[in-house]
Amino acid sequence: MAGALILAATAGALALLLLAVRLWVVLSPRAPVPRRSLSLLVVAGSGGHTTEILRLLESLSNAYSPRHYIVADTDEMSTHKINSFEQNRADRNPSAAFPEYYVHRIPRSREVQQPWLSSVLTTLYSMWLSFPLTYRVKPDLVLCNGPGTCVPICISALLLGILGIKKVIIVYVESICRVEHLSLSGKILFHLSDYFIVQWPTLKEKYPKSVYLGRIV
């Protein structure tokens, strides 16, 4: 009996060690590899989050293609903004190939003023549906800026690397509205993202590992 317990404890410790090593490998920065195109997954949120992320996308070249947008299943406004953005982008550059973009929907992680206890359950449900989507898309880069929907997507992208399926670069841009304190999504993803960008020097002082580029949206 004692031998079996020792064997089980040893196996458990070894499994935890392997998982820790794998997580360290996934989170360790790597030298960028030049590519002709990058599959981009963008997490859009309701209201200002979508407006900010689309402003950020305006400065990206057509090399970031295909573009996959994630919106909450109840967020019709963001879908409309994305379609208008892509149409305007195509109109400005008619010589470019037909815009390759897709809009995907997942359940919202947390509604406004939703109780914290129930939000844990809805976030787990959203994560359950996010991983198959992220696995199917297999993006090279995830770009997000704070909506609750980005948490299950980023964790799913991280799992792709932990499982050895694909290393996905996660770039988190904190909202311009966050001057002195991180959003809840920012606090969760600060240690999980490859690049964490803030837009105010006060946040850079509080979080030295973040990247401060000034106002970018």
Side-chain angles (χ1 to χ4, degrees), residues 142-179:
V142 171
L143 179 63
C144 54
N145 68 335
T149 308
C150 72
V151 174
I153 290 294
C154 288
I155 293 178
S156 298
L158 185 65
L159 282 175
L160 290 183
I162 293 175
L163 297 175
I165 299 172
K166 184 176 185 178
K167 166 62 177 176
V168 180
I169 301 298
I170 300 174
V171 178
Y172 184 95
V173 182
E174 187 59 284
S175 172
I176 189 67
C177 299
R178 295 292 174 170
V179 180

PDB file of all heavy atoms in Angstrom, residues 142-179:
ATOM      1  N   VAL A 142      -2.976  36.207 -31.745  1.00  0.00           N
ATOM      2  CA  VAL A 142      -4.231  36.639 -31.130  1.00  0.00           C
ATOM      3  C   VAL A 142      -4.052  38.083 -30.676  1.00  0.00           C
ATOM      4  O   VAL A 142      -3.089  38.402 -29.980  1.00  0.00           O
ATOM      5  CB  VAL A 142      -4.627  35.752 -29.942  1.00  0.00           C
ATOM      6  CG1 VAL A 142      -5.821  36.358 -29.199  1.00  0.00           C
ATOM      7  CG2 VAL A 142      -4.970  34.350 -30.406  1.00  0.00           C
ATOM      8  N   LEU A 143      -4.992  38.947 -31.071  1.00  0.00           N
ATOM      9  CA  LEU A 143      -4.944  40.356 -30.708  1.00  0.00           C
ATOM     10  C   LEU A 143      -6.216  40.712 -29.957  1.00  0.00           C
ATOM     11  O   LEU A 143      -7.322  40.466 -30.454  1.00  0.00           O
ATOM     12  CB  LEU A 143      -4.816  41.222 -31.963  1.00  0.00           C
ATOM     13  CG  LEU A 143      -4.779  42.737 -31.764  1.00  0.00           C
ATOM     14  CD1 LEU A 143      -3.553  43.140 -30.953  1.00  0.00           C
ATOM     15  CD2 LEU A 143      -4.789  43.449 -33.115  1.00  0.00           C
ATOM     16  N   CYS A 144      -6.082  41.271 -28.767  1.00  0.00           N
ATOM     17  CA  CYS A 144      -7.263  41.619 -27.982  1.00  0.00           C
ATOM     18  C   CYS A 144      -6.970  42.848 -27.138  1.00  0.00           C
ATOM     19  O   CYS A 144      -5.810  43.234 -26.954  1.00  0.00           O
ATOM     20  CB  CYS A 144      -7.704  40.457 -27.102  1.00  0.00           C
ATOM     21  SG  CYS A 144      -6.401  39.810 -26.030  1.00  0.00           S
ATOM     22  N   ASN A 145      -8.035  43.455 -26.623  1.00  0.00           N
ATOM     23  CA  ASN A 145      -7.854  44.701 -25.876  1.00  0.00           C
ATOM     24  C   ASN A 145      -8.781  44.832 -24.671  1.00  0.00           C
ATOM     25  O   ASN A 145      -9.112  45.935 -24.268  1.00  0.00           O
ATOM     26  CB  ASN A 145      -8.033  45.906 -26.803  1.00  0.00           C
ATOM     27  CG  ASN A 145      -9.478  46.061 -27.281  1.00  0.00           C
ATOM     28  OD1 ASN A 145     -10.237  45.094 -27.322  1.00  0.00           O
ATOM     29  ND2 ASN A 145      -9.855  47.277 -27.654  1.00  0.00           N
ATOM     30  N   GLY A 146      -9.232  43.714 -24.110  1.00  0.00           N
ATOM     31  CA  GLY A 146      -9.896  43.827 -22.823  1.00  0.00           C
ATOM     32  C   GLY A 146     -11.283  43.281 -22.630  1.00  0.00           C
ATOM     33  O   GLY A 146     -11.696  43.106 -21.484  1.00  0.00           O
ATOM     34  N   PRO A 147     -12.071  42.995 -23.674  1.00  0.00           N
ATOM     35  CA  PRO A 147     -13.404  42.458 -23.395  1.00  0.00           C
ATOM     36  C   PRO A 147     -13.312  41.101 -22.711  1.00  0.00           C
ATOM     37  O   PRO A 147     -12.351  40.346 -22.917  1.00  0.00           O
ATOM     38  CB  PRO A 147     -14.037  42.336 -24.785  1.00  0.00           C
ATOM     39  CG  PRO A 147     -12.884  42.215 -25.722  1.00  0.00           C
ATOM     40  CD  PRO A 147     -11.799  43.067 -25.125  1.00  0.00           C
ATOM     41  N   GLY A 148     -14.315  40.787 -21.895  1.00  0.00           N
ATOM     42  CA  GLY A 148     -14.287  39.523 -21.170  1.00  0.00           C
ATOM     43  C   GLY A 148     -14.183  38.315 -22.074  1.00  0.00           C
ATOM     44  O   GLY A 148     -13.641  37.267 -21.686  1.00  0.00           O
ATOM     45  N   THR A 149     -14.668  38.443 -23.297  1.00  0.00           N
ATOM     46  CA  THR A 149     -14.618  37.336 -24.250  1.00  0.00           C
ATOM     47  C   THR A 149     -13.190  36.925 -24.571  1.00  0.00           C
ATOM     48  O   THR A 149     -12.945  35.777 -24.973  1.00  0.00           O
ATOM     49  CB  THR A 149     -15.343  37.741 -25.549  1.00  0.00           C
ATOM     50  OG1 THR A 149     -16.640  38.241 -25.226  1.00  0.00           O
ATOM     51  CG2 THR A 149     -15.485  36.570 -26.501  1.00  0.00           C
ATOM     52  N   CYS A 150     -12.222  37.826 -24.376  1.00  0.00           N
ATOM     53  CA  CYS A 150     -10.852  37.503 -24.757  1.00  0.00           C
ATOM     54  C   CYS A 150     -10.199  36.514 -23.800  1.00  0.00           C
ATOM     55  O   CYS A 150      -9.251  35.827 -24.174  1.00  0.00           O
ATOM     56  CB  CYS A 150     -10.006  38.763 -24.866  1.00  0.00           C
ATOM     57  SG  CYS A 150      -9.593  39.544 -23.282  1.00  0.00           S
ATOM     58  N   VAL A 151     -10.690  36.410 -22.565  1.00  0.00           N
ATOM     59  CA  VAL A 151     -10.052  35.525 -21.593  1.00  0.00           C
ATOM     60  C   VAL A 151     -10.126  34.057 -22.022  1.00  0.00           C
ATOM     61  O   VAL A 151      -9.090  33.383 -22.088  1.00  0.00           O
ATOM     62  CB  VAL A 151     -10.651  35.738 -20.188  1.00  0.00           C
ATOM     63  CG1 VAL A 151     -10.089  34.709 -19.208  1.00  0.00           C
ATOM     64  CG2 VAL A 151     -10.358  37.153 -19.695  1.00  0.00           C
ATOM     65  N   PRO A 152     -11.312  33.505 -22.320  1.00  0.00           N
ATOM     66  CA  PRO A 152     -11.335  32.102 -22.756  1.00  0.00           C
ATOM     67  C   PRO A 152     -10.610  31.865 -24.072  1.00  0.00           C
ATOM     68  O   PRO A 152     -10.020  30.802 -24.271  1.00  0.00           O
ATOM     69  CB  PRO A 152     -12.840  31.796 -22.878  1.00  0.00           C
ATOM     70  CG  PRO A 152     -13.503  33.111 -22.999  1.00  0.00           C
ATOM     71  CD  PRO A 152     -12.675  34.065 -22.201  1.00  0.00           C
ATOM     72  N   ILE A 153     -10.626  32.864 -24.971  1.00  0.00           N
ATOM     73  CA  ILE A 153      -9.922  32.713 -26.240  1.00  0.00           C
ATOM     74  C   ILE A 153      -8.412  32.642 -26.009  1.00  0.00           C
ATOM     75  O   ILE A 153      -7.710  31.784 -26.575  1.00  0.00           O
ATOM     76  CB  ILE A 153     -10.269  33.868 -27.201  1.00  0.00           C
ATOM     77  CG1 ILE A 153     -11.715  33.751 -27.689  1.00  0.00           C
ATOM     78  CG2 ILE A 153      -9.305  33.885 -28.394  1.00  0.00           C
ATOM     79  CD1 ILE A 153     -11.991  32.541 -28.557  1.00  0.00           C
ATOM     80  N   CYS A 154      -7.877  33.531 -25.172  1.00  0.00           N
ATOM     81  CA  CYS A 154      -6.436  33.539 -24.921  1.00  0.00           C
ATOM     82  C   CYS A 154      -5.991  32.283 -24.178  1.00  0.00           C
ATOM     83  O   CYS A 154      -4.918  31.736 -24.457  1.00  0.00           O
ATOM     84  CB  CYS A 154      -6.054  34.786 -24.126  1.00  0.00           C
ATOM     85  SG  CYS A 154      -6.144  36.315 -25.089  1.00  0.00           S
ATOM     86  N   ILE A 155      -6.799  31.824 -23.237  1.00  0.00           N
ATOM     87  CA  ILE A 155      -6.459  30.581 -22.530  1.00  0.00           C
ATOM     88  C   ILE A 155      -6.482  29.400 -23.502  1.00  0.00           C
ATOM     89  O   ILE A 155      -5.624  28.513 -23.440  1.00  0.00           O
ATOM     90  CB  ILE A 155      -7.416  30.353 -21.356  1.00  0.00           C
ATOM     91  CG1 ILE A 155      -7.194  31.430 -20.285  1.00  0.00           C
ATOM     92  CG2 ILE A 155      -7.221  28.960 -20.749  1.00  0.00           C
ATOM     93  CD1 ILE A 155      -8.131  31.330 -19.106  1.00  0.00           C
ATOM     94  N   SER A 156      -7.436  29.394 -24.413  1.00  0.00           N
ATOM     95  CA  SER A 156      -7.492  28.331 -25.426  1.00  0.00           C
ATOM     96  C   SER A 156      -6.266  28.378 -26.328  1.00  0.00           C
ATOM     97  O   SER A 156      -5.698  27.336 -26.681  1.00  0.00           O
ATOM     98  CB  SER A 156      -8.763  28.479 -26.266  1.00  0.00           C
ATOM     99  OG  SER A 156      -9.920  28.333 -25.474  1.00  0.00           O
ATOM    100  N   ALA A 157      -5.840  29.594 -26.714  1.00  0.00           N
ATOM    101  CA  ALA A 157      -4.636  29.732 -27.537  1.00  0.00           C
ATOM    102  C   ALA A 157      -3.404  29.248 -26.783  1.00  0.00           C
ATOM    103  O   ALA A 157      -2.514  28.608 -27.350  1.00  0.00           O
ATOM    104  CB  ALA A 157      -4.469  31.185 -27.965  1.00  0.00           C
ATOM    105  N   LEU A 158      -3.358  29.540 -25.487  1.00  0.00           N
ATOM    106  CA  LEU A 158      -2.246  29.069 -24.660  1.00  0.00           C
ATOM    107  C   LEU A 158      -2.230  27.545 -24.583  1.00  0.00           C
ATOM    108  O   LEU A 158      -1.160  26.914 -24.626  1.00  0.00           O
ATOM    109  CB  LEU A 158      -2.361  29.674 -23.263  1.00  0.00           C
ATOM    110  CG  LEU A 158      -1.223  29.396 -22.280  1.00  0.00           C
ATOM    111  CD1 LEU A 158       0.073  30.029 -22.774  1.00  0.00           C
ATOM    112  CD2 LEU A 158      -1.564  29.919 -20.893  1.00  0.00           C
ATOM    113  N   LEU A 159      -3.406  26.950 -24.495  1.00  0.00           N
ATOM    114  CA  LEU A 159      -3.498  25.483 -24.434  1.00  0.00           C
ATOM    115  C   LEU A 159      -2.975  24.834 -25.713  1.00  0.00           C
ATOM    116  O   LEU A 159      -2.415  23.733 -25.664  1.00  0.00           O
ATOM    117  CB  LEU A 159      -4.947  25.064 -24.183  1.00  0.00           C
ATOM    118  CG  LEU A 159      -5.454  25.204 -22.749  1.00  0.00           C
ATOM    119  CD1 LEU A 159      -6.946  24.875 -22.684  1.00  0.00           C
ATOM    120  CD2 LEU A 159      -4.672  24.302 -21.801  1.00  0.00           C
ATOM    121  N   LEU A 160      -3.145  25.500 -26.852  1.00  0.00           N
ATOM    122  CA  LEU A 160      -2.614  24.938 -28.099  1.00  0.00           C
ATOM    123  C   LEU A 160      -1.107  24.749 -28.000  1.00  0.00           C
ATOM    124  O   LEU A 160      -0.557  23.755 -28.472  1.00  0.00           O
ATOM    125  CB  LEU A 160      -2.947  25.851 -29.282  1.00  0.00           C
ATOM    126  CG  LEU A 160      -4.407  25.941 -29.730  1.00  0.00           C
ATOM    127  CD1 LEU A 160      -4.523  26.838 -30.960  1.00  0.00           C
ATOM    128  CD2 LEU A 160      -4.982  24.567 -30.036  1.00  0.00           C
ATOM    129  N   GLY A 161      -0.439  25.706 -27.363  1.00  0.00           N
ATOM    130  CA  GLY A 161       1.003  25.581 -27.193  1.00  0.00           C
ATOM    131  C   GLY A 161       1.376  24.546 -26.151  1.00  0.00           C
ATOM    132  O   GLY A 161       2.316  23.780 -26.334  1.00  0.00           O
ATOM    133  N   ILE A 162       0.636  24.519 -25.030  1.00  0.00           N
ATOM    134  CA  ILE A 162       0.926  23.554 -23.969  1.00  0.00           C
ATOM    135  C   ILE A 162       0.770  22.124 -24.480  1.00  0.00           C
ATOM    136  O   ILE A 162       1.556  21.235 -24.128  1.00  0.00           O
ATOM    137  CB  ILE A 162       0.005  23.811 -22.763  1.00  0.00           C
ATOM    138  CG1 ILE A 162       0.349  25.154 -22.113  1.00  0.00           C
ATOM    139  CG2 ILE A 162       0.128  22.686 -21.729  1.00  0.00           C
ATOM    140  CD1 ILE A 162      -0.587  25.544 -20.985  1.00  0.00           C
ATOM    141  N   LEU A 163      -0.229  21.907 -25.320  1.00  0.00           N
ATOM    142  CA  LEU A 163      -0.471  20.571 -25.864  1.00  0.00           C
ATOM    143  C   LEU A 163       0.433  20.241 -27.047  1.00  0.00           C
ATOM    144  O   LEU A 163       0.352  19.146 -27.601  1.00  0.00           O
ATOM    145  CB  LEU A 163      -1.943  20.451 -26.296  1.00  0.00           C
ATOM    146  CG  LEU A 163      -2.970  20.575 -25.165  1.00  0.00           C
ATOM    147  CD1 LEU A 163      -4.388  20.560 -25.728  1.00  0.00           C
ATOM    148  CD2 LEU A 163      -2.795  19.455 -24.152  1.00  0.00           C
ATOM    149  N   GLY A 164       1.278  21.186 -27.438  1.00  0.00           N
ATOM    150  CA  GLY A 164       2.201  20.935 -28.536  1.00  0.00           C
ATOM    151  C   GLY A 164       1.573  21.013 -29.903  1.00  0.00           C
ATOM    152  O   GLY A 164       2.152  20.534 -30.886  1.00  0.00           O
ATOM    153  N   ILE A 165       0.410  21.632 -30.008  1.00  0.00           N
ATOM    154  CA  ILE A 165      -0.288  21.732 -31.294  1.00  0.00           C
ATOM    155  C   ILE A 165       0.256  22.891 -32.113  1.00  0.00           C
ATOM    156  O   ILE A 165       0.608  22.739 -33.280  1.00  0.00           O
ATOM    157  CB  ILE A 165      -1.800  21.894 -31.071  1.00  0.00           C
ATOM    158  CG1 ILE A 165      -2.350  20.671 -30.335  1.00  0.00           C
ATOM    159  CG2 ILE A 165      -2.530  22.099 -32.395  1.00  0.00           C
ATOM    160  CD1 ILE A 165      -3.798  20.812 -29.901  1.00  0.00           C
ATOM    161  N   LYS A 166       0.343  24.072 -31.488  1.00  0.00           N
ATOM    162  CA  LYS A 166       0.877  25.239 -32.185  1.00  0.00           C
ATOM    163  C   LYS A 166       1.169  26.334 -31.178  1.00  0.00           C
ATOM    164  O   LYS A 166       0.386  26.576 -30.267  1.00  0.00           O
ATOM    165  CB  LYS A 166      -0.116  25.759 -33.234  1.00  0.00           C
ATOM    166  CG  LYS A 166       0.416  26.928 -34.061  1.00  0.00           C
ATOM    167  CD  LYS A 166      -0.567  27.332 -35.148  1.00  0.00           C
ATOM    168  CE  LYS A 166       0.034  28.419 -36.024  1.00  0.00           C
ATOM    169  NZ  LYS A 166      -0.882  28.802 -37.124  1.00  0.00           N
ATOM    170  N   LYS A 167       2.288  27.005 -31.351  1.00  0.00           N
ATOM    171  CA  LYS A 167       2.623  28.163 -30.538  1.00  0.00           C
ATOM    172  C   LYS A 167       1.905  29.377 -31.111  1.00  0.00           C
ATOM    173  O   LYS A 167       2.106  29.751 -32.271  1.00  0.00           O
ATOM    174  CB  LYS A 167       4.132  28.386 -30.526  1.00  0.00           C
ATOM    175  CG  LYS A 167       4.576  29.753 -29.988  1.00  0.00           C
ATOM    176  CD  LYS A 167       4.181  29.971 -28.543  1.00  0.00           C
ATOM    177  CE  LYS A 167       4.715  31.318 -28.042  1.00  0.00           C
ATOM    178  NZ  LYS A 167       4.273  31.617 -26.665  1.00  0.00           N
ATOM    179  N   VAL A 168       1.041  29.985 -30.316  1.00  0.00           N
ATOM    180  CA  VAL A 168       0.268  31.152 -30.743  1.00  0.00           C
ATOM    181  C   VAL A 168       0.765  32.373 -29.974  1.00  0.00           C
ATOM    182  O   VAL A 168       0.845  32.345 -28.741  1.00  0.00           O
ATOM    183  CB  VAL A 168      -1.238  30.949 -30.488  1.00  0.00           C
ATOM    184  CG1 VAL A 168      -2.030  32.167 -30.946  1.00  0.00           C
ATOM    185  CG2 VAL A 168      -1.733  29.691 -31.193  1.00  0.00           C
ATOM    186  N   ILE A 169       1.098  33.436 -30.685  1.00  0.00           N
ATOM    187  CA  ILE A 169       1.527  34.677 -30.052  1.00  0.00           C
ATOM    188  C   ILE A 169       0.288  35.436 -29.573  1.00  0.00           C
ATOM    189  O   ILE A 169      -0.649  35.660 -30.339  1.00  0.00           O
ATOM    190  CB  ILE A 169       2.330  35.556 -31.023  1.00  0.00           C
ATOM    191  CG1 ILE A 169       3.563  34.805 -31.526  1.00  0.00           C
ATOM    192  CG2 ILE A 169       2.743  36.865 -30.346  1.00  0.00           C
ATOM    193  CD1 ILE A 169       4.542  34.434 -30.445  1.00  0.00           C
ATOM    194  N   ILE A 170       0.285  35.831 -28.307  1.00  0.00           N
ATOM    195  CA  ILE A 170      -0.839  36.570 -27.724  1.00  0.00           C
ATOM    196  C   ILE A 170      -0.393  38.005 -27.449  1.00  0.00           C
ATOM    197  O   ILE A 170       0.556  38.232 -26.698  1.00  0.00           O
ATOM    198  CB  ILE A 170      -1.330  35.915 -26.420  1.00  0.00           C
ATOM    199  CG1 ILE A 170      -1.784  34.482 -26.688  1.00  0.00           C
ATOM    200  CG2 ILE A 170      -2.459  36.726 -25.804  1.00  0.00           C
ATOM    201  CD1 ILE A 170      -2.164  33.708 -25.431  1.00  0.00           C
ATOM    202  N   VAL A 171      -1.071  38.957 -28.076  1.00  0.00           N
ATOM    203  CA  VAL A 171      -0.786  40.377 -27.891  1.00  0.00           C
ATOM    204  C   VAL A 171      -2.005  41.024 -27.249  1.00  0.00           C
ATOM    205  O   VAL A 171      -3.100  41.005 -27.822  1.00  0.00           O
ATOM    206  CB  VAL A 171      -0.449  41.075 -29.217  1.00  0.00           C
ATOM    207  CG1 VAL A 171      -0.211  42.573 -28.980  1.00  0.00           C
ATOM    208  CG2 VAL A 171       0.769  40.436 -29.867  1.00  0.00           C
ATOM    209  N   TYR A 172      -1.795  41.588 -26.071  1.00  0.00           N
ATOM    210  CA  TYR A 172      -2.884  42.249 -25.345  1.00  0.00           C
ATOM    211  C   TYR A 172      -2.606  43.743 -25.301  1.00  0.00           C
ATOM    212  O   TYR A 172      -1.539  44.172 -24.869  1.00  0.00           O
ATOM    213  CB  TYR A 172      -2.999  41.692 -23.925  1.00  0.00           C
ATOM    214  CG  TYR A 172      -4.160  42.262 -23.140  1.00  0.00           C
ATOM    215  CD1 TYR A 172      -5.379  41.593 -23.083  1.00  0.00           C
ATOM    216  CD2 TYR A 172      -4.035  43.476 -22.458  1.00  0.00           C
ATOM    217  CE1 TYR A 172      -6.443  42.121 -22.367  1.00  0.00           C
ATOM    218  CE2 TYR A 172      -5.095  44.004 -21.743  1.00  0.00           C
ATOM    219  CZ  TYR A 172      -6.293  43.325 -21.703  1.00  0.00           C
ATOM    220  OH  TYR A 172      -7.345  43.847 -21.004  1.00  0.00           O
ATOM    221  N   VAL A 173      -3.552  44.543 -25.761  1.00  0.00           N
ATOM    222  CA  VAL A 173      -3.437  46.001 -25.737  1.00  0.00           C
ATOM    223  C   VAL A 173      -4.471  46.529 -24.748  1.00  0.00           C
ATOM    224  O   VAL A 173      -5.682  46.435 -25.000  1.00  0.00           O
ATOM    225  CB  VAL A 173      -3.668  46.610 -27.131  1.00  0.00           C
ATOM    226  CG1 VAL A 173      -3.502  48.129 -27.067  1.00  0.00           C
ATOM    227  CG2 VAL A 173      -2.705  46.008 -28.150  1.00  0.00           C
ATOM    228  N   GLU A 174      -4.012  47.079 -23.634  1.00  0.00           N
ATOM    229  CA  GLU A 174      -4.947  47.602 -22.645  1.00  0.00           C
ATOM    230  C   GLU A 174      -5.660  48.832 -23.203  1.00  0.00           C
ATOM    231  O   GLU A 174      -5.080  49.623 -23.942  1.00  0.00           O
ATOM    232  CB  GLU A 174      -4.208  47.961 -21.350  1.00  0.00           C
ATOM    233  CG  GLU A 174      -5.111  48.363 -20.199  1.00  0.00           C
ATOM    234  CD  GLU A 174      -6.116  47.294 -19.802  1.00  0.00           C
ATOM    235  OE1 GLU A 174      -7.117  47.123 -20.528  1.00  0.00           O
ATOM    236  OE2 GLU A 174      -5.905  46.638 -18.766  1.00  0.00           O
ATOM    237  N   SER A 175      -6.927  48.971 -22.871  1.00  0.00           N
ATOM    238  CA  SER A 175      -7.746  50.059 -23.396  1.00  0.00           C
ATOM    239  C   SER A 175      -7.178  51.414 -23.005  1.00  0.00           C
ATOM    240  O   SER A 175      -6.595  51.589 -21.936  1.00  0.00           O
ATOM    241  CB  SER A 175      -9.177  49.924 -22.873  1.00  0.00           C
ATOM    242  OG  SER A 175      -9.951  51.070 -23.218  1.00  0.00           O
ATOM    243  N   ILE A 176      -7.361  52.388 -23.889  1.00  0.00           N
ATOM    244  CA  ILE A 176      -6.919  53.752 -23.622  1.00  0.00           C
ATOM    245  C   ILE A 176      -7.616  54.327 -22.400  1.00  0.00           C
ATOM    246  O   ILE A 176      -7.106  55.262 -21.757  1.00  0.00           O
ATOM    247  CB  ILE A 176      -7.182  54.635 -24.868  1.00  0.00           C
ATOM    248  CG1 ILE A 176      -6.539  56.019 -24.716  1.00  0.00           C
ATOM    249  CG2 ILE A 176      -8.674  54.761 -25.128  1.00  0.00           C
ATOM    250  CD1 ILE A 176      -5.062  56.020 -24.696  1.00  0.00           C
ATOM    251  N   CYS A 177      -8.767  53.774 -22.045  1.00  0.00           N
ATOM    252  CA  CYS A 177      -9.507  54.259 -20.874  1.00  0.00           C
ATOM    253  C   CYS A 177      -8.833  53.878 -19.563  1.00  0.00           C
ATOM    254  O   CYS A 177      -9.144  54.468 -18.519  1.00  0.00           O
ATOM    255  CB  CYS A 177     -10.935  53.708 -20.891  1.00  0.00           C
ATOM    256  SG  CYS A 177     -11.903  54.193 -22.336  1.00  0.00           S
ATOM    257  N   ARG A 178      -7.952  52.898 -19.604  1.00  0.00           N
ATOM    258  CA  ARG A 178      -7.284  52.445 -18.385  1.00  0.00           C
ATOM    259  C   ARG A 178      -6.021  53.265 -18.170  1.00  0.00           C
ATOM    260  O   ARG A 178      -5.000  53.033 -18.824  1.00  0.00           O
ATOM    261  CB  ARG A 178      -6.961  50.950 -18.488  1.00  0.00           C
ATOM    262  CG  ARG A 178      -8.201  50.079 -18.546  1.00  0.00           C
ATOM    263  CD  ARG A 178      -8.944  50.128 -17.220  1.00  0.00           C
ATOM    264  NE  ARG A 178     -10.220  49.404 -17.276  1.00  0.00           N
ATOM    265  CZ  ARG A 178     -10.952  49.145 -16.205  1.00  0.00           C
ATOM    266  NH1 ARG A 178     -10.544  49.538 -15.012  1.00  0.00           N
ATOM    267  NH2 ARG A 178     -12.092  48.507 -16.322  1.00  0.00           N
ATOM    268  N   VAL A 179      -6.110  54.222 -17.254  1.00  0.00           N
ATOM    269  CA  VAL A 179      -5.021  55.159 -17.026  1.00  0.00           C
ATOM    270  C   VAL A 179      -4.134  54.731 -15.863  1.00  0.00           C
ATOM    271  O   VAL A 179      -2.902  54.768 -15.955  1.00  0.00           O
ATOM    272  CB  VAL A 179      -5.574  56.578 -16.760  1.00  0.00           C
ATOM    273  CG1 VAL A 179      -4.432  57.561 -16.526  1.00  0.00           C
ATOM    274  CG2 VAL A 179      -6.450  57.031 -17.927  1.00  0.00           C
TER     275      VAL A 179
END
